[in-house]
Amino acid sequence: MKKWNSVFANLAISYIALVLVIVLLLCSVFYIYFSKSYEAELRTKNQLILENTAQTIEATVLQRVQQIYLNLSLDKTVDIRLFADSSYKSNLSKAIDLQELLQTEVAGSSDIVYAVHLYYPKQNIMLSSNYGLQFNADQGSSAVFFADWMNGMRGTKQSHLWTPARLIPQDIYASLPDSKGETLITYAHSYPFQASGENNDLMIAVDVKESAISKVIRNMMPTQYESTFILEPSGSMITGSASRSPDFHSAHSSSFIETLLSKAEAGSFNDTILDEAYAVSYQALPSTGWKIYSALPASFFYQKLIFVQKLVLGICVMALLLGIVLSGIFARANYSPIKRLVGKIKDLSGHTPDHAANAFKLIDKAFIRLNDKVSSLEDTLEANSSVIRHNVLLNLLHNRYTPEKLAEELPFLGINQPYSHYCCMIVNSDQAFAGLSSRDQQYATYRMINQLQGASLPEGHIIAEELPDKTIVVVVFAKKQCDALLEQLCQLLIAENKQQFQLESQISQGCWVQDIINVHKSYSEAQALRKYGYFLPDLSILKDRALLDRENRVEEIPQAMLVRFKEKLHARQFDEIVTAIDQLVKIMQEGIYAADYCRFILTNTVFVYSDYLKSVRYKYPDQGNMDLYHQYQELHNIYYFRNWLVESITAFLVQIEKRNNDRAITSVEAAKQYVRSHLSDDLSLEKVAAQVFISPKYLSKLFKDENGITYTDYVTSLRMENARALIENNNMSVEQIASTVGYGTAAYFIKKFKEKYGCTPGNYLRQTVKQA
C-alpha cells in the first residue's frame, strides 16, 4: 500500500488519467468544433493576405503618388504657381522648366505614374508632362479626359480626391477612336496644402496606372486575382471592372455593394453571387478611403475538412499511445524536482519525513508558511499605496484602461462612493517655479497637493498628483456638474499659493464627463487650454472653450507681417523692429491661430534672428556664440519672449554700430598707407577702395567724415608735398618729378603745383636757391 500511495505512483496515475481525458475530449471536440475553426483559420489567412496586399498597394503606389505631390509643392527650384495670377503671360518662357520638372517626376516613377498635370482654375490653364501647355483646358475634345478630376475638385470642400479608373487613348487629340490606351486613376490635390478643392490657386493631378495596382494584386493574390476588386466610398469601381471577370462583377447587386461599404475597416462576410455561396473578405485602404475585397467560393473553405478530420482521428490515436508512454517518463521526470523540493524543505525546517507519502504534507506546511510571507508582502504593498494610486491615475488620464481593467484597479484611488460627474484641471507653475530651487519646488508642490486633497467638498472628492512634467493634475469627483465648485476651488488654490509661496499659478479646466473612463477627454481639453497659457499669462484660469476652437483652425498669420520683421532687422531699424514684434505678439494673443502654430512662428522668428547674426558674423562681446534657441525654450510666456528678443536686438545693434565705427577707422588708415606707398601708381578711388575691400562710395564718405577733405584733395596734397621735397633737393628734372609723384604729363603737374603753391616748379626752385 505504501508503494501505491507514493508521490511517484500518484503522479503516474494522474498523468495517465489526464492523457485519457484529453484524448477523448479531442476526439469529441474536433468533430464538433474543428470544422468552423478550420474555416475561420482559412478566412483569417485569406484576410491576412488581403491586408498585406492593401499595405503593399499603400506603400508601393498610393504613398509614392502622394510623395510626388509633396515633392512638387516643396520644390524650391521652380515656382509651381507660375500661372496663378494675371501675370502668367510673362511667365510662358519659364513653363519649359516647370514641364521638365513634371517630366522628371514622371520618369522617376514611370512604373506607376503616367502623367502629372498642373491646373490653374482661375486662368483655366493646364500644364502637363505629356500634353504640354493648354489654354481653356476644360474645353475641346480632350477636356473629357480631365473632366472627372477637374470637376470633382471644384465641387469638393476637401483638399484632395481619387478618381475611378478610366481609359485614356494614346492620342487624346485624335478625332478617330483609338482602341489602344492606358487605364488610369487620378490623384488630385489642391495647393496650398490646406486649401479646399473649390477654393485653391492650383490643382496638382497625378495620373496613376491602374496596371500598377493590378500588378500588385496579381503578385500578392494570384489565385484570387480574378475575383479581387477595389471600390471607392461612393460605390464606384476604382480598378478591376474593365479587365477582370466582368460577368462576376456585374452579378454584384446594389445591396452587396451597400453591405460592403457599410462594414468596418476590415473583416469578412458571406453572400450569394451567381447562385453560389461566397466568402467575401475586405480591407480598407487608409489613405484613400477605398476598400479592396476578394470573394472566394465557400466550397474552398471545406474541401480539405474531410482529410483534416481523418488526420485528427489518427493524431488522437497516436496521442493516446504516446501519452501513455510519456506519462511514465513525465511522472519520473517531475518527481525529481518534488524530491529536491522536499529535500530543500527538510534542510530549511530540520524535519525528516518517515516515507514518501509524507512529502505532500511537508510541502503543504511549507505553503502555509509561504502564505504568511505573502500577507506580509500585502502589508508592504499597502504602505506603497500612494505610488500605486499615482500609476493608476496616470493610466486613467492616458486612456490605457479597458472598462474591466479599470473596475479592477479603481479601488486603489480610494473612492468610497459612486460619483456621476468628473472634471480634470491642470495647475501649471512653471513661471513661478523658475526662481525656486529644486528643493523649494518639491516642497511647494507637496504643500499644494496636500492642500487640494485636504479640501472639504460637499458631495465631492479630489485627487491631486504631480505629473512627470512637474505640473499638478487635479481630478474632481462630484455628484453633479457644478462650475461654481471649480471656480471656488481655483480661486482658493491661486490665493493660497500667492499668500504662502508668492507663486503666480495658472489653472486650465477641462470639460465635465459622466463616466470615469472618459476622464482622459477632460484631461486632453485641459492640456489643450494649458498651451494657450503661454500666450495669455494674464489669465489665471483658462476655461474659455473658444480657445479650443483655435486648435482646429488652419489659418496662417499674414506672410507680410513675418517678412516685415526680417526686413526691418536687416535694415537695422530698431523702432520698426519693436513695432513688428509687438504686432506679432498682439495677433497671437487676440487672433484665431492655433497655439502650436504660434509657437512654430515664434521659433521661426528666433531662427531668422539667429541666421542674421550668423550672416553678419556677430559674436556676443562677453559670451561668444550663444544658443538663442535654448534661451527661447526657457522663456515661460510671450511677454518674456518679447522683452528678451527686444533686449537681445538692442544689444546687437549697439555692438554692430561700434564694430562698424572701428572698421571704418581701420579702413581709412589702410587706404592712407597704400596711397603713401604708391604715389607714382594709379591712385583712383576705385582701385584704392578695392585694396581695402570696401566700395568706392563708402571710402569717399569715410575720408570726408574722418579727415574733413575729399579723397582727391588728400591724394593731391600728398603728391604736392612729395614733389616740393624733390624740387628742394634739385637733383631731378620737372618731368622726372611729375612721373615720380604720379602725373603722366609735366604740363598737368605744373598746373596742379601752381594751384597749390601759387608758382611754377621752376620759380619755386629759383626762390629756394636764392633763399639758400
Side-chain angles (χ1 to χ4, degrees):
M1 289 298 293
K2 291 182 180 179
K3 182 177 181 181
W4 290 104
N5 288 333
S6 67
V7 173
F8 179 78
N10 290 337
L11 284 174
I13 294 172
S14 299
Y15 273 116
I16 293 174
L18 183 62
V19 168
L20 289 173
V21 171
I22 291 175
V23 171
L24 290 175
L25 285 175
L26 285 175
C27 292
S28 302
V29 171
F30 280 171
Y31 278 101
I32 298 172
Y33 173 76
F34 188 80
S35 299
K36 293 184 178 180
S37 65
Y38 185 71
E39 177 187 359
E41 181 181 350
L42 290 177
R43 286 193 178 188
T44 301
K45 181 180 178 181
N46 187 52
Q47 183 67 35
L48 182 60
I49 294 174
L50 194 65
E51 180 180 350
N52 291 337
T53 303
Q55 291 176 354
T56 304
I57 292 173
E58 281 277 348
T60 61
V61 179
L62 304 182
Q63 291 180 4
R64 285 177 62 189
V65 171
Q66 293 169 345
Q67 185 61 43
I68 289 175
Y69 166 79
L70 292 177
N71 291 344
L72 290 173
S73 62
L74 298 177
D75 193 279
K76 301 299 184 182
T77 61
V78 179
D79 183 9
I80 64 173
R81 297 181 74 252
L82 194 59
F83 300 103
D85 53 40
S86 58
S87 63
Y88 66 88
K89 293 183 178 179
S90 63
N91 297 326
L92 293 178
S93 60
K94 299 181 181 178
I96 297 176
D97 296 336
L98 185 54
Q99 186 182 21
E100 289 179 354
L101 176 62
L102 301 183
Q103 292 172 344
T104 300
E105 291 293 339
V106 173
S109 302
S110 60
D111 55 330
I112 64 171
V113 175
Y114 181 77
V116 179
H117 317 289
L118 302 181
Y119 177 61
Y120 304 85
K122 295 180 180 179
Q123 288 71 32
N124 197 14
I125 296 176
M126 184 177 77
L127 180 62
S128 171
S129 62
N130 284 10
Y131 311 119
L133 186 63
Q134 295 189 38
F135 296 91
N136 299 321
D138 60 354
Q139 300 175 13
S141 59
S142 62
V144 67
F145 302 110
F146 313 109
D148 52 352
W149 61 264
M150 285 184 180
N151 296 334
M153 284 295 290
R154 288 192 184 106
T156 182
K157 294 185 177 180
Q158 296 182 352
S159 61
H160 69 279
L161 62 80
W162 290 85
T163 69
R166 67 194 188 282
L167 181 63
I168 302 296
Q170 289 182 347
D171 186 0
I172 64 173
Y173 302 105
S175 58
L176 298 177
D178 188 359
S179 60
K180 297 182 180 181
E182 184 80 40
T183 302
L184 302 179
I185 302 165
T186 299
Y187 170 71
H189 201 296
S190 63
Y191 182 89
F193 185 81
Q194 294 92 350
S196 64
E198 62 185 10
N199 183 21
N200 63 83
D201 297 334
L202 169 63
M203 299 179 191
I204 301 177
V206 183
D207 287 340
V208 185
K209 299 177 181 178
E210 186 270 344
S211 58
I213 299 177
S214 298
K215 183 178 179 181
V216 174
I217 298 175
R218 185 187 293 276
N219 292 338
M220 300 291 292
M221 308 174 66
T223 60
Q224 301 156 247
Y225 175 71
E226 295 297 332
S227 58
T228 302
F229 303 89
I230 298 177
L231 289 176
E232 68 173 2
S234 65
S236 300
M237 182 65 61
I238 293 297
T239 180
S241 61
S243 58
R244 304 197 300 274
S245 188
D247 294 336
F248 175 84
H249 183 263
S250 63
H252 291 177
S253 63
S254 59
S255 61
F256 169 83
I257 299 297
E258 292 176 359
T259 301
L260 182 64
L261 294 176
S262 64
K263 296 293 184 179
E265 292 187 357
S268 61
F269 64 92
N270 296 325
D271 198 65
T272 302
I273 305 174
L274 298 175
D275 298 326
E276 184 178 356
Y278 276 80
V280 181
S281 298
Y282 56 91
Q283 175 71 38
L285 297 171
S287 65
T288 62
W290 300 343
K291 280 190 178 176
I292 180 173
Y293 73 94
S294 176
L296 289 177
S299 59
F300 173 81
F301 298 100
Y302 298 100
Q303 290 175 353
K304 300 181 181 179
L305 284 181
I306 297 177
F307 170 77
V308 172
Q309 290 173 349
K310 292 180 180 179
L311 181 63
V312 169
L313 269 178
I315 292 175
C316 288
V317 173
M318 292 296 297
L320 181 61
L321 297 176
L322 185 62
I324 294 174
V325 175
L326 293 179
S327 295
I329 298 174
F330 288 160
R332 181 171 295 279
N334 289 336
Y335 176 64
S336 297
I338 293 177
K339 186 176 180 181
R340 289 195 298 270
L341 178 61
V342 171
K344 187 67 174 177
I345 294 173
K346 180 188 69 175
D347 294 339
L348 293 175
S349 62
H351 176 68
T352 304
D354 296 333
H355 47 77
N358 292 329
F360 287 121
K361 293 182 179 180
L362 189 62
I363 293 173
D364 183 59
K365 292 180 181 179
F367 273 105
I368 292 175
R369 292 194 295 270
L370 180 61
N371 183 64
D372 295 336
K373 296 291 185 181
V374 171
S375 298
S376 175
L377 179 60
E378 289 178 349
D379 295 338
T380 303
L381 290 176
E382 181 67 23
N384 294 307
S385 60
S386 60
V387 177
I388 299 174
R389 182 182 66 181
H390 178 79
N391 292 333
V392 171
L393 184 61
L394 286 181
N395 291 334
L396 183 63
L397 295 178
H398 292 91
N399 194 25
R400 297 170 183 163
Y401 281 129
T402 61
E404 296 77 12
K405 186 67 174 178
L406 178 59
E408 179 182 340
E409 297 196 2
L410 193 59
F412 288 112
L413 293 179
I415 309 301
N416 300 322
Q417 55 180 309
Y419 296 97
S420 59
H421 288 78
Y422 311 86
C423 182
C424 182
M425 301 188 301
I426 296 177
V427 183
N428 183 19
S429 300
D430 287 348
Q431 179 177 344
F433 281 173
L436 299 179
S437 64
S438 58
R439 180 176 181 180
D440 291 338
Q441 290 181 19
Q442 189 64 35
Y443 173 72
T445 301
Y446 175 78
R447 286 291 303 270
M448 284 189 216
I449 292 175
N450 285 346
Q451 183 183 43
L452 287 167
Q453 296 193 145
S456 177
L457 296 181
E459 298 184 350
H461 184 77
I462 293 178
I463 293 179
E465 291 289 342
E466 182 182 8
L467 297 179
D469 61 356
K470 304 303 181 183
T471 59
I472 299 174
V473 62
V474 181
V475 181
V476 179
F477 299 73
K479 296 287 186 180
K480 61 181 181 179
Q481 180 174 333
C482 183
D483 294 334
L485 175 64
L486 298 181
E487 182 72 19
Q488 181 181 2
L489 185 63
C490 291
Q491 294 296 345
L492 175 64
L493 180 62
I494 292 171
E496 289 294 326
N497 287 343
K498 191 170 185 179
Q499 179 179 357
Q500 295 185 17
F501 309 107
Q502 288 75 47
L503 298 180
E504 295 292 341
S505 300
Q506 195 173 50
I507 302 174
S508 56
Q509 294 180 5
C511 62
W512 286 97
V513 295
Q514 298 182 5
D515 193 336
I516 191 171
I517 201 171
N518 293 324
V519 164
H520 67 278
K521 296 180 180 179
S522 180
Y523 174 71
S524 297
E525 279 198 10
Q527 285 281 49
L529 288 171
R530 177 191 168 196
K531 293 188 293 186
Y532 291 92
Y534 182 89
F535 301 97
L536 303 170
D538 296 331
L539 293 180
S540 57
I541 303 176
L542 297 169
K543 60 181 180 178
D544 186 1
R545 292 297 176 268
L547 293 175
L548 297 176
D549 296 336
R550 293 172 60 171
E551 286 292 283
N552 301 318
R553 303 300 291 262
V554 296
E555 287 83 357
E556 298 181 356
I557 294 175
Q559 189 67 23
M561 181 173 293
L562 304 178
V563 172
R564 183 182 180 188
F565 169 77
K566 184 176 181 179
E567 292 176 347
K568 299 307 178 183
L569 180 64
H570 281 257
R572 301 177 189 172
Q573 298 175 356
F574 178 74
D575 293 337
E576 296 294 335
I577 294 173
V578 174
T579 301
I581 295 173
D582 290 339
Q583 288 178 347
L584 189 62
V585 170
K586 183 177 180 181
I587 198 171
M588 288 183 178
Q589 289 183 313
E590 301 176 359
I592 57 174
Y593 309 105
D596 291 334
Y597 170 72
C598 292
R599 290 301 292 263
F600 168 76
I601 294 299
L602 292 182
T603 303
N604 189 54
T605 302
V606 174
F607 284 147
V608 167
Y609 177 45
S610 178
D611 290 343
Y612 178 64
L613 294 186
K614 293 176 182 177
S615 69
V616 299
R617 300 180 181 179
Y618 175 73
K619 292 185 179 180
Y620 287 81
D622 301 325
Q623 300 156 318
N625 292 326
M626 293 291 290
D627 187 351
L628 294 178
Y629 180 73
H630 179 71
Q631 292 182 0
Y632 158 66
Q633 289 290 88
E634 294 181 348
L635 303 174
H636 298 290
N637 64 53
I638 198 168
Y639 293 152
Y640 288 171
F641 170 83
R642 185 264 181 199
N643 295 335
W644 165 77
L645 187 57
V646 170
E647 290 173 1
S648 179
I649 292 174
T650 301
F652 159 70
L653 293 178
V654 170
Q655 290 297 324
I656 206 69
E657 182 66 23
K658 180 179 178 182
R659 188 181 74 175
N660 288 342
N661 291 337
D662 295 341
R663 182 178 179 183
I665 295 173
T666 303
S667 298
V668 170
E669 291 300 324
K672 288 181 177 180
Q673 180 63 34
Y674 180 82
V675 169
R676 286 192 293 269
S677 302
H678 299 80
L679 276 178
S680 61
D681 297 338
D682 177 18
L683 294 179
S684 64
L685 182 62
E686 289 75 12
K687 183 172 183 179
V688 175
Q691 295 297 323
V692 295
F693 307 105
I694 59 176
S695 69
K697 185 177 180 180
Y698 186 48
L699 177 59
S700 177
K701 180 179 181 302
L702 290 179
F703 255 90
K704 183 68 173 178
D705 294 341
E706 293 294 328
N707 303 298
I709 60 174
T710 65
Y711 169 78
T712 302
D713 291 342
Y714 174 79
V715 173
T716 302
S717 176
L718 199 62
R719 282 174 167 173
M720 291 299 103
E721 290 178 4
N722 194 25
R724 188 182 65 177
L726 293 175
I727 292 172
E728 290 175 353
N729 291 334
N730 196 19
N731 293 326
M732 300 173 67
S733 66
V734 173
E735 289 77 6
Q736 290 175 332
I737 294 173
S739 176
T740 302
V741 296
Y743 291 102
T745 63
Y748 186 68
F749 165 67
I750 294 171
K751 177 183 177 183
K752 287 291 183 181
F753 192 88
K754 187 175 182 180
E755 290 177 356
K756 176 69 174 178
Y757 296 109
C759 62
T760 64
N763 291 335
Y764 182 81
L765 176 60
R766 285 190 289 272
Q767 291 177 7
T768 302
V769 172
K770 184 178 181 179
Q771 291 175 359

